[in-house]
Amino acid sequence: MAQLDDFRLIREIVAAGRPRQVIERLDQTRYQRLVELGWLKVFSYDLGHVSYQVTERGRAAAARS
């Protein structure tokens, strides 16, 4: 079930207009929740570089009030 923070984060990512790049593995848990909700798709380039792209489901969640 989505939390209020999940909606805030997906809105922030959608507003940025580009995939979210994470270089370190420090704080990926908040993005992993959105992956589990189907709002983000993850692309891993190597162990320390991950890109998260918003899915259509994520865009719909970001548009909710």
Side-chain angles (χ1 to χ4, degrees):
M1 180 171 216
Q3 308 273 326
L4 185 57
D5 287 338
D6 298 329
F7 285 101
R8 284 187 202 136
L9 182 56
I10 195 67
R11 285 185 190 115
E12 176 185 312
I13 295 168
V14 169
R18 62 187 187 292
R20 180 61 53 104
Q21 303 288 321
V22 178
I23 305 298
E24 298 286 328
R25 296 180 74 82
L26 298 176
D27 192 16
Q28 292 185 21
T29 55
R30 56 192 279 207
Y31 301 109
Q32 187 57 38
R33 285 190 40 78
L34 300 187
V35 170
E36 292 169 5
L37 290 167
W39 296 358
L40 294 178
K41 186 186 288 187
V42 64
F43 297 94
S44 180
Y45 301 105
D46 58 43
L47 289 176
H49 187 190
V50 178
S51 177
Y52 294 94
Q53 186 173 20
V54 179
T55 65
E56 288 302 316
R57 190 172 176 181
R59 291 188 196 293
R64 291 185 201 165
S65 312

